[in-house]
Amino acid sequence: MKWLVFFFGGCFVLIANGQYEWQTRDAFDEVSRAIKATNKGNCEIQHVGDLFLPPDTVSHLPDIKDVNINPVFPNRTQLLHMHNMALNRAFFWSYILQSRFIRPAINDTYDPGMMYYLLSTVADVSTNHHINASAIYFSPNMSYSSSYKGFFNKTFPRFAPRTFRADDFNDPIHLERISTLNTFTVYDLGAITPNTSADYTSEYFRINEWFKAWLPDKVNSRHDTKTTYQVEIRYANNTNETFAFHGPPGADENPGPVKYTRPYFDCGRSNRWLVAAVVPIADIFPRHTGFRHVEYPTYTAASVVEMDFDRIDINQCPKASGNDKANAFVDTARCKKETTECEPIHGWGFRRGGYQCRCRPGYRLPLQVRRPFLGEIVERATEEQYYNGFECKKIGWIQKLPAKWEKAPWYVREMELDRHPEYRFPVRGPESLKQPNINIHKTLEFILGMNKENCKKYKPDELILHGGAMFGAEEFFENEAKMALRLANFISVFLQVSDPQEVYSGKRVADKPLTEDQMMGETLAMILGNNRIWSAGTYWERNKFTNKTLFAPYAYKKQLNVRQFHMEDLARLNKSDEVYLNKPWFKFLKHRWASNFDSLEKFWLKIRVRFNETGETTRKYEHYPNHYMGARLHHGYWSAPYFDCRGKVPMWKIKYAAPFFGWDSLKVKLEFKGVVAVTMDMLKLDIKQCPDKFYVPNAFKDTHKCDERTSYCVPILGRGFESGGYKCECKQGFEYPFEDDITYYDGQIMEAEFTNLVDNNETRFDMFRCRLAAAASIQSNILIVFMLLAIVFGVYDRR
């Protein structure tokens, strides 16, 4: 009996090992081994080189110079958000640290207090599950504070507020014993003894590449080299001011404002493999000298936003025209190159199989296969399965595209017009969106033809696009919505956690209430940190902001890629149709959150602050642990697309608004305090013309021109608000017949040729359909002939 157990157990082990033993070792295995070799227990004694991975293990990093030119695909949207968040925080801190020059000189400081810094990093992390740490690292003796008495014009030796997401599955706070991702550990990493291994500015810290990327700022010649940004401010009393401040490098400069670190093991802190985006923070230094000629702009700190390395998709495909950058995992995909080619897909993170194997031109899928071979299935295949499958079949005769086009026969044109009756009697203008079957070309003609001149002849209701014209906006503009949600959650956490009336022991003083400059700076930072955001506003409910009845800082830009911005307080508007309190999105969120706050998310904070003004060590914040209630992305409001005819920048816009909350005057329950809103350009959105379920609210659904009998529609990303953002892939049992570099019919060509057909021009639309697989194969015909002959001779012999 024992012999049988060992025999079958050995067979099982051999089978389990044999599934992968045929695969050769590659770069993925080497990186995976390096990751597993370092952990919390041994990282402190590891060689410093073992705490980093090669820089090319994270490929296709977002580049601010490229964001407005080429589309950012889904597998890099989270990296782009990390990039934008680091920019956002650097611009805000640069603005607020220099905004004291807007105000009269007093024997005090306008700087935010310590809790503002700490809670700001909390909001960075709590808004996005993919961002796992955020920090501001100051250079030695360059951080001023208003949190201690008698500390005017003095600096902290070190100051580095940092928040990282804690693994709370076994935390006593949560009796469910599940990981909520809503617990955050907040430290002041500057509360240490300087020049030790705990000093983030020291060489002994080992993993501080994020600090060395920009700091300390060493300028050998001129000190006026820091990039200048300008904002024109209009206050509620209609007074104007132009404020210029120094900030991170511009997008057009080399190097740009964002630097990335190599993936590193965050030893002794979060103990995870992280990747960081780093942006410098500028300030005028030294302060309060009375002699402006000795004060110079310099980088005093760095904004660092980090995410887990294992959440970043890897690209295993071979080098190609769109995949030619440094990539450690290049050509590790297991597609059979003779008949298939690799295509990345998103959502896999750091694991094999994030690709699919499509047929090369001149090849087709086997008849029993419905879709391209999924990389995860290929990676898990046995040796026998791999070598006997996962390859495409060569197609037979290859057709040439016609050199001379002709008009389609009348019956072909009539057949297509019967299939698309909306093209026989087209409806133009705003009514085109209200038809049972939309003529997408006339609809886009109305939308794309709108401008600040002709918009005035339409009624306001006609400039609002209903009926699902914004389908996909929630996903496409998710990063921009998270910018608004981040500020809304920061205001919520500050109003709920920081109490201006609190009295601390010793010299420490509580943070002052939020100021006008801080809210203006936070609002401005959203459009500075994200190119897709055209305007942003922070709208406070009546009598909820300190010493103001109404307060609504609104920042906007008039064109892309500029260093001049505009900001005004919309509280100056007094017409009933202009007051922001009467706007539909504000009223909707106010009524939605008038009384019931049970569905808000609860975030737990474990804050450790410095022991005293010189640092030395940390201690628990007086309220430990603490929590706040904040909104999630789905708690916000998406407006229908509208043309802002009389706005600052007339264009088709989509607005997202997120609410924020604070304690009432008695501090016994939450109440609605206001809204943060951002607007984006609707024309950047991709149109989805492919079929979908009947209940999906998409105005352009099923407006594609693919031949549904032989092909199916697949969306193509990055085409914008234009028709043809799809491709027609051949169905199972059909093949692409033409000699071409692709194996599908491009949607833009389909739409153009269909327009030619409708207008009775020369066209080749009737040729854009897939051919029956193997119908033109010589081998298949010979086989059929032999079978027929065998049948004939068999019948003859029986006679």
Side-chain angles (χ1 to χ4, degrees), residues 179-196:
S179 183
T180 66
L181 302 179
N182 288 344
T183 301
F184 309 100
T185 303
V186 190
Y187 279 101
D188 178 0
L189 300 180
I192 44 88
T193 303
N195 302 318
T196 62

Side-chain angles (χ1 to χ4, degrees), residues 526-734:
M526 285 192 284
I527 63 172
L528 283 162
N530 192 318
N531 285 325
R532 280 184 179 173
I533 297 177
W534 280 83
S535 63
T538 306
Y539 306 89
W540 287 76
E541 171 66 316
R542 188 184 302 274
N543 296 321
K544 299 305 179 184
F545 191 77
T546 308
N547 299 326
K548 284 184 176 290
T549 304
L550 296 177
F551 181 52
Y554 173 79
Y556 63 96
K557 58 188 176 186
K558 293 186 175 180
Q559 61 185 38
L560 286 172
N561 304 322
V562 294
R563 297 181 186 173
Q564 185 176 7
F565 303 88
H566 307 268
M567 183 159 48
E568 60 178 271
D569 186 354
L570 296 184
R572 68 181 183 82
L573 304 176
N574 51 20
K575 294 182 180 179
S576 59
D577 60 335
E578 294 178 342
V579 176
Y580 65 86
L581 297 176
N582 297 330
K583 297 297 182 181
W585 42 269
F586 191 93
K587 292 169 69 175
F588 175 87
L589 290 174
K590 179 181 177 180
H591 295 158
R592 165 65 182 85
W593 301 103
S595 58
N596 190 345
F597 306 97
D598 291 344
S599 62
L600 291 178
E601 198 79 15
K602 191 172 187 178
F603 302 95
W604 288 91
L605 316 177
K606 296 183 176 180
I607 306 176
R608 297 188 68 92
V609 297
R610 57 179 52 227
F611 180 74
N612 54 25
E613 57 265 41
T614 58
E616 299 175 8
T617 186
T618 60
R619 62 184 179 87
K620 291 181 179 179
Y621 179 57
E622 278 71 10
H623 306 281
Y624 185 95
N626 210 328
H627 71 273
Y628 80 96
M629 304 290 287
R632 280 294 189 198
L633 202 61
H634 63 275
H635 291 141
Y637 174 87
W638 289 93
S639 75
Y642 65 97
F643 192 85
D644 193 7
C645 188
R646 292 174 174 81
K648 306 297 182 183
V649 185
M651 63 191 309
W652 288 103
K653 294 179 179 178
I654 293 176
K655 184 187 292 289
Y656 174 80
F660 54 87
F661 312 91
W663 297 114
D664 63 3
S665 57
L666 300 178
K667 294 197 70 173
V668 295
K669 66 182 184 68
L670 290 178
E671 66 178 6
F672 172 81
K673 294 288 187 180
V675 165
V676 177
V678 292
T679 58
M680 290 73 66
D681 181 6
M682 183 196 71
L683 300 186
K684 296 293 183 183
L685 184 65
D686 288 333
I687 291 178
K688 304 294 192 303
Q689 292 183 247
C690 294
D692 211 331
K693 296 179 176 62
F694 69 94
Y695 52 81
V696 174
N698 178 8
F700 305 105
K701 176 176 60 181
D702 206 15
T703 59
H704 67 93
K705 305 302 184 296
C706 297
D707 178 39
E708 296 184 349
R709 187 176 63 87
T710 64
S711 61
Y712 62 95
C713 177
V714 179
I716 294 180
L717 303 179
R719 295 282 174 91
F721 216 79
E722 300 278 353
S723 63
Y726 61 90
K727 58 183 176 179
C728 303
E729 293 272 10
C730 294
K731 284 184 176 180
Q732 183 180 10
F734 293 88

Side-chain angles (χ1 to χ4, degrees), residues 146-199:
S146 60
S147 294
Y148 289 94
K149 297 176 182 177
F151 208 69
F152 173 70
N153 211 22
K154 294 182 180 179
T155 58
F156 289 145
R158 306 286 189 275
F159 185 47
R162 183 176 190 259
T163 295
F164 63 86
R165 193 184 309 276
D167 190 0
D168 58 355
F169 79 98
N170 201 28
D171 199 294
I173 296 173
H174 305 291
L175 299 178
E176 300 91 344
R177 293 297 185 267
I178 58 175
S179 183
T180 66
L181 302 179
N182 288 344
T183 301
F184 309 100
T185 303
V186 190
Y187 279 101
D188 178 0
L189 300 180
I192 44 88
T193 303
N195 302 318
T196 62
S197 61
D199 183 356

Side-chain angles (χ1 to χ4, degrees), residues 99-110 152 288 290:
S99 66
R100 64 187 182 279
F101 295 116
I102 304 178
R103 305 301 171 197
I106 58 174
N107 193 24
D108 197 355
T109 179
Y110 293 105
F152 173 70
H288 309 291

